[in-house]
Amino acid sequence: MPLPALRIDYANVLDTAVGATHGLSLAELRRAEPEVKALVARIERERKAGQHRYRELPHDTAMLATVQAAVRRCRGKFENLVVLGIGGSALGNIALQTALNPCFYNLMSPRERRGPRLFVMDNVDPAQFGDLLDLLGPSLRKTLFNVISKSGETAETAAQFLVVRDLLRRKLGAAGLRANLLVTTDPEGGTMRGIVDAEGYASLPVPPGVGGRFSVLSAVGLFSAGLCGIRIDQLLAGAAAMDRRVAKTAVRQNPAALLALLLYLFYVRGKRLHVMMPYSYALKDLADWYRQLWAESLGKRLDLDGHVVNVGPTPIKALGATDQHSQVQLYREGPNDKVFIFLEVERHARDVKIPRAAGLPAELDYLQGRSLGALLNAEKRATEYALVASERPCLTIRFPVVRAETVGQFILLWEAATTIAGGLLHINPYDQPAVQMGKEFTFALMGKRGFERQAREYAQAARRGGRHVV
């Protein structure tokens, strides 16, 4: 039985819909296709040579078996699962949970849930973290902490780990610490690997050659999904199906190539803000995941030749229908510098009927006997039409249904589109050099040895800036 497939409807980015000033012509697409075709062919050659390692994750049966074995060992033992991670170690976990488990999963009774409650702690806000520890205190023995850090040196995750390690050791002893801790880290080296090996903690591997924002389809994202009852084999099956589609060199048959090309062509025209607007609560955190992937991968100062280019689209998250009432005024009448990417669900996981009732005002007749799903999808189509009427280009990614296979397709689609867009922009989509400076100055301000120069530099800059407070 064929998997339900995502489709991209791009009619409303064309000049026939939004006019020649703001739309793309089919002739323009045809002229650009040979470059993209050659780029996809090059990426496939590089992949065979060991590059673009994230593309292999959907086919990695050994990795899947390792994660499934860890899930089986932990199933039924814990009431709570806490993921300690940030950025790529957190956003994918959150997105999978929101997409594929009930909206109020954590509020369901243990009998109704398919696994433990999930808490993803992706920040070091002391009030938030302290409140979580208070909440979990009575059930600490029934709480599993999954620390996710490739190196172990990310300040936020390292700090969380040290707090939790001390808490478990004091409350549960050395044996309880080992039983209630699972570390997902580099399989061979790094600070966290050294701690794991020295202290005998259970661990899962962060795959070599896969950066954090591309790692959701590895143990990084799959363990929490699997333990919370999500079919991770189906998630990978969907990603594998999309992987086959995005390997095709014909641009109109390759959704990632088409997506990257459309957004690149708008980028060079000056439409550098990309608004993703799901009309589904289940998909809202996939938009957060996309936002990191697109921003951190494509925002670069230098191109591959070392020239200063300062390129990168700005991804923006919105949610339909909520943000029709908070953002669409700007989107329709503000600067025409955006492309809109709608996520639409054809068949929602469930629907709610709007009842008929006598004696109501005639103005409400149009709603009676309909459903909330029909209303939500009508709002999407109406918003798109209103934007198109204002010559704002829009495309739609359609989910036949939201389930593990289609979510896997979406993830692999955007990862592959990111690689192709990086090629079109002539930058490296896998590094993030600008993030390092903030990390180094955080180390300096916290007194880490080896960062004395940064501490002095910060102090000098603070003195130069003076004190201007209202």
Side-chain angles (χ1 to χ4, degrees):
M1 183 176 175
L3 296 178
L6 297 188
R7 301 193 309 277
I8 299 177
D9 181 347
Y10 61 100
N12 285 333
V13 304
L14 300 177
D15 55 3
T16 49
V18 294
T21 301
H22 296 288
L24 303 172
S25 69
L26 289 175
E28 191 175 353
L29 291 180
R30 282 194 291 269
R31 286 195 297 272
E33 284 180 3
E35 179 185 358
V36 180
K37 181 177 181 178
L39 176 56
V40 172
R42 191 191 82 203
I43 290 169
E44 292 305 308
R45 290 194 300 272
E46 291 170 345
R47 181 182 173 187
K48 291 177 181 176
Q51 298 184 49
H52 316 295
R53 284 283 304 140
Y54 72 88
R55 292 280 300 276
E56 307 309 318
L57 295 177
H59 313 285
D60 192 340
T61 56
M63 180 271 295
L64 174 60
T66 297
V67 175
Q68 288 176 324
V71 168
R72 285 193 298 271
R73 287 194 299 271
C74 297
R75 182 168 286 142
K77 295 181 180 179
F78 299 100
E79 296 173 2
N80 308 297
L81 170 61
V82 180
V83 170
L84 305 180
I86 196 167
S89 299
L91 292 171
N93 289 272
I94 296 168
L96 294 179
Q97 176 76 5
T98 303
L100 297 172
N101 266 330
C103 292
F104 303 105
Y105 174 86
N106 273 6
L107 299 180
M108 296 165 68
S109 71
R111 189 174 61 258
E112 294 172 309
R113 289 196 313 268
R114 298 184 291 186
R117 294 185 297 177
L118 176 64
F119 302 91
V120 181
M121 302 306 291
D122 63 344
N123 212 326
V124 287
D125 184 292
Q128 181 198 31
F129 202 74
D131 285 352
L132 177 72
L133 296 181
D134 289 346
L135 174 69
L136 299 177
S139 57
L140 190 63
R141 194 172 295 277
K142 286 287 190 176
T143 299
L144 176 66
F145 292 89
N146 180 201
V147 182
I148 305 177
S149 178
K150 184 177 177 66
S151 68
E153 296 184 10
T154 301
E156 298 88 349
T157 306
Q160 291 175 337
F161 165 68
L162 292 175
V163 171
V164 166
R165 178 173 175 266
D166 176 70
L167 176 67
L168 291 175
R169 178 169 282 155
R170 284 188 291 107
K171 298 292 186 180
L172 306 182
L177 170 59
R178 285 192 295 273
N180 290 60
L181 192 67
L182 173 67
V183 181
T184 305
T185 191
D186 190 285
E188 296 177 357
T191 299
M192 189 61 76
R193 171 50 57 188
I195 294 172
V196 167
D197 291 346
E199 305 206 10
Y201 300 146
S203 67
L204 287 170
V206 175
V210 178
R213 59 190 178 273
F214 289 87
S215 68
V216 61
L217 296 178
S218 73
V220 170
L222 295 182
F223 175 76
S224 69
L227 193 59
C228 292
I230 293 167
R231 287 288 302 272
I232 58 177
D233 56 336
Q234 294 176 357
L235 188 71
L236 293 182
M242 181 58 73
D243 182 60
R244 291 187 285 273
R245 294 175 68 186
V246 303
K248 296 179 179 179
T249 56
V251 174
R252 307 295 178 90
Q253 298 175 25
N254 181 330
L258 179 63
L259 194 57
L261 175 58
L262 293 173
L263 294 174
Y264 170 75
L265 290 174
F266 278 118
Y267 180 85
V268 297
R269 280 187 173 207
K271 295 187 189 298
R272 298 180 174 184
L273 307 179
H274 298 167
V275 181
M276 180 172 284
M277 195 166 183
Y279 273 74
S280 164
Y281 182 90
L283 302 177
K284 75 179 185 69
D285 290 325
L286 280 170
D288 254 354
W289 170 84
Y290 143 83
R291 192 167 54 172
Q292 182 201 9
L293 180 73
W294 208 236
E296 197 166 59
S297 300
L298 302 181
K300 298 295 161 65
R301 176 174 175 266
L302 302 177
D303 68 10
L304 293 174
D305 299 319
H307 300 135
V308 176
V309 289
N310 295 117
V311 299
T314 299
I316 299 169
K317 171 189 175 182
L319 176 64
T322 301
D323 288 321
Q324 290 172 209
H325 300 270
S326 70
Q327 297 176 29
V328 167
Q329 173 64 35
L330 168 68
Y331 293 161
R332 283 200 67 206
E333 295 190 0
N336 196 339
D337 55 359
K338 304 169 189 70
V339 183
F340 297 89
I341 306 160
F342 290 104
L343 308 184
E344 182 178 4
V345 179
E346 293 176 344
R347 191 172 77 252
H348 294 275
R350 62 181 300 180
D351 209 344
V352 176
K353 188 86 168 178
I354 304 171
R356 294 185 179 277
L360 290 174
E363 289 81 2
L364 299 180
D365 284 348
Y366 74 101
L367 291 173
Q368 296 192 61
R370 304 300 298 277
S371 73
L372 295 185
L375 175 60
L376 187 62
N377 284 356
E379 297 221 40
K380 180 266 172 184
R381 293 192 295 272
T383 302
E384 183 174 23
Y385 178 80
L387 288 166
V388 169
S390 298
E391 299 185 336
R392 316 291 160 132
C394 307
L395 60 88
T396 296
I397 300 176
R398 286 206 175 86
F399 286 70
V401 292
V402 178
R403 67 188 213 198
E405 293 95 337
T406 53
V407 170
Q409 290 174 50
F410 180 87
I411 290 168
L412 203 286
L413 166 67
W414 276 100
E415 289 177 339
T418 299
T419 298
I420 297 167
L424 292 171
L425 290 168
H426 197 54
I427 53 93
N428 179 0
Y430 301 129
D431 65 356
Q432 54 279 337
V435 177
Q436 187 61 29
M437 184 177 181
K439 289 183 177 181
E440 290 179 0
F441 276 82
T442 297
F443 295 154
L445 291 171
M446 293 298 289
K448 185 174 181 178
R449 286 194 298 271
F451 293 87
E452 292 80 10
R453 177 187 61 78
Q454 288 89 340
R456 290 193 299 272
E457 186 178 328
Y458 181 88
Q460 291 166 1
R463 285 195 295 271
R464 285 196 304 271
R467 185 169 178 82
H468 303 277
V469 180
V470 176

